[in-house]
């Protein structure tokens, strides 16, 4: 049974006790792999407890949200349940619009500035305090497992890699692995839908199940690509300028875009 097995949200009894009765709306934005529903005040994510099919479990997201709380803006965890092979994660709903919304994209200069500032603040968190290791040894081992299990969606590869196999992508990753990593605390899936914009601020980082210590380019590559797709190449380059060109290695941007194909 998967999160898509039903279009209506059926909550486990423990979550029904802590969440008020509400009209739940299905959300179809994003590629987290989970089914997502929202009410006026809360969000519930549901997915099968399958560590290979999805890049991260909702239990991992819960752990990261609890650690990030008070450090950067994230939703508050309301509850977590595992029932009949499905994970349920209940969160507070962050007010605002995701950064891929047309109303947000209408102000490209403001958005680019907000994203650069949000990632600089996240990447400045003390490494010694972060308990989650998402560095290349971990990420590549995870990618190898997913390739071997045949769960990588090759049809979803970027245009320049259409027609390639997951095995060929992994082999390229192994062959071109960077000699060192510029480690920071990363979001892990820093695409536009995972930033919630409220007025002049980013009020929430969401879908943080892959957050942890990794090369800063793991975030920069995805935000840069997402801006290029949703706005323009000039906006994507402007984001790198505002973040700080002294931190940017074009080869590693390309490497982490390649790595993302397997997740």
């Amino acid at each position: 049974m998967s999160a898509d097995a039903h279009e209506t949200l059926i909550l486990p009894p423990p979550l029904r006790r802590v969440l008020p009765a509400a009209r739940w709306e299905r959300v179809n934005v994003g590629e987290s792999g989970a089914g997502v529903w929202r009410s006026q005040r809360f969000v519930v994510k549901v997915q099968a407890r399958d560590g290979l099919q999805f890049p991260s479990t909702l239990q991992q997201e819960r752990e990261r949200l609890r650690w990030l709380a008070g450090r950067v803006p994230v939703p508050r965890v309301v509850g977590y349940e595992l029932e009949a092979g499905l994970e349920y994660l209940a969160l507070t709903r962050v007010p605002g619009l995701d950064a891929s919304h047309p109303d947000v994209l209408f102000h490209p200069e403001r958005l680019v500035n907000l994203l650069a500032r949000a990632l600089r603040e996240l990447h400045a968190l003390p490494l010694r305090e972060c308990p989650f290791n998402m560095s290349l040894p971990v990420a590549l081992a995870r990618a190898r497992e997913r390739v071997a299990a045949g769960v990588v969606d090759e049809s979803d590869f970027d245009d320049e890699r259409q027609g390639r196999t997951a095995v060929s992508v992994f082999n390229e990753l192994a062959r071109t692995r960077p000699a060192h990593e510029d480690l920071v605390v990363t979001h892990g899936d820093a695409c536009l839908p995972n930033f919630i914009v409220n007025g002049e601020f980013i009020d929430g980082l969401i879908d943080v199940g892959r957050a942890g210590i990794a090369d800063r380019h793991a975030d920069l590559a995805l935000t840069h690509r997402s801006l290029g797709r949703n706005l323009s190449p000039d906006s994507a380059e402007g984001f790198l300028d505002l973040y700080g060109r002294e931190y940017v290695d074009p080869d590693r941007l390309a490497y982490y875009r390649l790595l993302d194909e397997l997740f």
Side-chain angles (χ1 to χ4, degrees):
M1 183 178 183
S2 73
D4 292 322
H6 50 77
E7 284 297 319
T8 58
L9 177 62
I10 303 172
L11 291 170
L15 289 185
R16 287 204 297 269
R17 289 194 287 270
V18 298
L19 290 172
R23 182 182 181 89
W24 294 97
E25 171 195 7
R26 183 72 184 264
V27 180
N28 295 313
V29 174
E31 299 180 1
S32 69
V36 181
W37 285 262
R38 67 186 176 195
S39 67
Q40 285 190 329
R41 295 172 52 203
F42 299 98
V43 171
V44 174
K45 303 177 74 171
V46 187
Q47 73 178 28
R49 182 60 182 261
D50 183 339
L52 285 174
Q53 183 178 356
F54 300 118
S56 63
T57 67
L58 293 183
Q59 183 177 22
Q60 289 170 326
E61 183 169 357
R62 176 190 66 171
E63 293 167 354
R64 284 155 170 80
L65 285 168
R66 287 177 170 173
W67 183 80
L68 288 167
R71 292 178 167 90
V72 293
V74 292
R76 178 175 60 85
V77 175
V78 177
Y80 170 86
E81 295 294 329
L82 178 61
E83 181 179 276
L86 290 178
E87 292 184 287
Y88 297 78
L89 179 63
L91 311 166
T92 53
R93 181 174 174 180
V94 179
L97 301 171
D98 79 75
S100 68
H101 191 282
D103 290 351
V104 178
L105 296 175
F106 189 71
H107 303 281
E109 291 184 4
R110 181 181 69 182
L111 174 59
V112 166
N113 182 67
L114 288 176
L115 291 170
R117 187 168 66 193
L119 285 183
R120 284 200 310 267
E121 291 174 358
L122 176 63
H123 294 171
L125 293 178
L127 281 181
R128 66 183 179 276
E129 296 179 5
C130 182
F132 309 112
N133 180 7
M134 300 298 288
S135 62
L136 267 183
V138 175
L140 288 174
R142 179 73 169 165
R144 184 188 299 110
E145 292 175 354
R146 289 173 54 79
V147 172
V151 297
V152 175
D153 183 2
E154 295 170 342
S155 68
D156 194 44
F157 284 174
D158 292 344
D159 289 345
E160 63 267 30
R161 282 178 279 274
Q162 283 295 316
R164 290 187 58 177
T165 66
V167 170
S168 76
V169 169
F170 181 81
N171 288 342
E172 182 179 348
L173 287 166
R175 186 175 65 252
T176 62
R177 178 175 175 171
H180 72 281
E181 296 178 80
D182 184 4
L183 296 175
V184 297
V185 177
T186 62
H187 179 288
D189 189 14
C191 300
L192 294 196
N194 293 335
F195 296 87
I196 304 299
V197 179
N198 189 11
E200 298 297 322
F201 302 95
I202 288 182
D203 271 2
L205 308 182
I206 62 172
D207 285 352
V208 295
R210 290 158 59 191
I213 296 172
D215 191 304
R216 73 177 74 238
H217 291 80
D219 281 349
L220 296 180
L222 301 195
T223 306
H224 179 265
R225 182 183 65 187
S226 200
L227 282 168
R229 289 175 174 175
N230 286 273
L231 283 173
S232 68
D234 285 346
S235 293
E237 292 301 306
F239 158 74
L240 295 178
D241 291 338
L242 288 167
Y243 180 89
R245 284 283 176 178
E246 65 271 26
Y247 299 108
V248 178
D249 177 348
D251 290 337
R252 274 190 283 172
L253 289 178
Y255 185 87
Y256 282 93
R257 284 194 299 270
L258 184 68
L259 177 61
D260 186 61
E261 299 284 36
L262 302 183
F263 288 92

